[in-house]
Amino acid sequence: MEKIKILIFVVLSGVFLLQETPARNPAANGLKELPVKNFCVVIDPGHGGKDGGAVGNKGTQEKNVVLDIASMLAKVLVDNAGRNYKVVLTRAEDKFIALEDRITFANQAEGDIFISIHANASESRNDNGFEVYYNSLATDDALTNVARRENAGAAERKDPQPTDSMFVLWELAQNEFQKESMNFADAIQAGVETAVSKPGENGKKYLMRNRGVKQAGFAVLRGVRMPAVLVETSYLSNENDENNLRSPEFKEKMVEGLFEAIEKIAGKINRRQDGLK
Amino acid sequence: MKLRTKLLLVFILTATGVIAGYKVVNSIFFRPQNPAFNYAPEIKKIKLYFINRDGKLQAEKREIQGGVGILEDVKICVKELAAGPKEAGLFRGLPAGVVLNGVFIDDNRCIYLDFNQNIVENQAGGTTREMQMLYSLVNTVLDNFTQVTSVRILVEGHEIKTLGGHLDITQPLRSKQLEY
């Protein structure tokens, strides 16, 4: 009798488990399983190829420095165990890419954020420091013209053509990106300052002036349809800054600060997108 | 063809010629002059914006022999600017070898400065340097010619997106700041 009781218990348990297993599968309940969304970061190393950009007194070329930093940042983002990043580089080698192509590439990749990396130079060798720019809004006409020019390229490639109402939406989106671009620029400023101010190996401290967050009408930022910033890592025309940019440790600190800022802004954007669902 | 018809045809052709000739001569020699843009030549005090040791714009005052109108005066000013500063401690905003090919003005009082290719080819790189160059030009023009509302930059007669790969110059430049 005991054996029968045990057998009945085992059979009933088996039946229960068999019923329970599909119930744990969302698809079986008619729920669609959401894929883990990648957060797409478009990294734009400035200049390249025949366009070397600024050159320091020691011969440091902007195109090489910014490619180093961009590649290091891409690696840190991809290797990070937390968030699922998709990284797109507008160039991964020493190659000339026209501004229009960078913009088109970023927009086609449907990036969540865009970060253009540059090294600065001035007529004055005293000018130094790190600064982050986000776009200053042009007039409505100007924005629309940019969008029209951008889409003229799309027409040649036989992409779907936007209607006039889409330009209005594009302008509204630009205003939305403006606020997020400003937040992103602020996050970079804070992140990089914190990272660089920490002593490095052997207690070495890097002097870097913080020039703040600024606005300007950058051609590359005016074309991309996502929150976008342009980072001027330091001045190659300044002796101390050029030495910093030649140091692998300084570049690592710069990348650490940029990564922290991307983590922060990605969290904000993802929360906003989740809130919209 | 009857003589009367021939005479009529000659009359019409002559009348048309006279009217067209009058309009051409009138437009060239008797065009109403706008005193804001056309004036008698005189010695003028101007301010040329160069870059100081802090990387900011600084005006250098000069006297020039002005021309007979704003287009000529703008050309003289920009040529002086391209020649570089005379005061110690100031740096030129425009790269060496830059030549101003022409100056035009449109109905919106926007001045078009048409440069040779050297303004692109001789760029030394850097966003700040590009701003310094643009705003030494814009400040020089807007400060000396208050009748001008904005500045556009052309290269060999064509519109270009940027001079050094950074700042968008496809729109009229109105700001007088280095960082706007």
Side-chain angles (χ1 to χ4, degrees), chain A residues 152-168:
Chain A
E156 283 169 19
R157 294 187 303 273
K158 297 191 172 78
D159 290 352
Q161 285 304 288
T163 59
D164 274 355
S165 60
M166 285 172 75
F167 285 114
V168 176

Side-chain angles (χ1 to χ4, degrees), chain B residues 79-123:
Chain B
K79 277 185 178 172
E80 289 281 323
L81 192 71
K86 290 178 179 167
E87 284 177 28
L90 293 181
F91 309 99
R92 58 192 306 144
L94 285 166
V98 168
V99 175
L100 184 64
N101 294 331
V103 181
F104 317 96
I105 192 162
D106 70 11
D107 292 344
N108 296 319
R109 290 184 286 142
C110 173
I111 279 274
Y112 290 72
L113 306 173
D114 179 26
F115 291 98
N116 69 347
Q117 189 66 26
N118 286 346
I119 200 165
V120 174
E121 300 293 325
N122 297 354
Q123 286 283 325

Side-chain angles (χ1 to χ4, degrees), chain B residues 105-156:
Chain B
I105 192 162
D106 70 11
D107 292 344
N108 296 319
R109 290 184 286 142
C110 173
I111 279 274
Y112 290 72
L113 306 173
D114 179 26
F115 291 98
N116 69 347
Q117 189 66 26
N118 286 346
I119 200 165
V120 174
E121 300 293 325
N122 297 354
Q123 286 283 325
T127 294
T128 299
R129 203 179 257 139
E130 201 172 312
M131 281 181 178
Q132 288 165 339
M133 183 194 60
L134 275 179
Y135 286 98
S136 76
L137 261 175
V138 173
N139 274 271
T140 298
V141 173
L142 295 184
D143 253 23
N144 291 297
F145 305 97
T146 50
Q147 59 276 55
V148 173
T149 56
S150 57
V151 179
R152 289 286 312 269
I153 293 169
L154 306 176
V155 178
E156 304 289 3

Side-chain angles (χ1 to χ4, degrees), chain B residues 31-51:
Chain B
R31 188 171 47 182
Q33 302 280 297
N34 184 339
F37 301 105
N38 300 286
Y39 33 73
E42 58 180 10
I43 291 174
K44 285 197 169 78
K45 287 181 179 173
I46 57 164
K47 285 195 278 186
L48 302 176
Y49 283 88
F50 295 106
I51 320 303

Side-chain angles (χ1 to χ4, degrees), chain B residues 164-180:
Chain B
H166 304 103
L167 301 166
D168 182 1
I169 57 162
T170 57
Q171 302 299 319
L173 302 163
R174 291 188 176 87
S175 170
K176 289 165 76 176
Q177 295 169 0
L178 183 58
E179 288 148 6
Y180 60 106

Side-chain angles (χ1 to χ4, degrees), chain B residues 4-65:
Chain B
R4 205 172 154 185
T5 313
K6 278 183 183 173
L7 283 173
L8 189 64
L9 198 63
V10 169
F11 174 75
I12 289 168
L13 285 172
T14 311
T16 310
V18 168
I19 291 166
Y22 170 79
K23 288 209 166 195
V24 169
V25 169
N26 194 41
S27 68
I28 293 171
F29 297 105
F30 304 105
R31 188 171 47 182
Q33 302 280 297
N34 184 339
F37 301 105
N38 300 286
Y39 33 73
E42 58 180 10
I43 291 174
K44 285 197 169 78
K45 287 181 179 173
I46 57 164
K47 285 195 278 186
L48 302 176
Y49 283 88
F50 295 106
I51 320 303
N52 67 18
R53 287 197 174 104
D54 296 324
K56 303 294 174 206
L57 296 176
Q58 187 175 316
E60 183 183 294
K61 289 177 183 169
R62 282 191 204 170
E63 274 191 354
I64 56 159
Q65 172 59 56

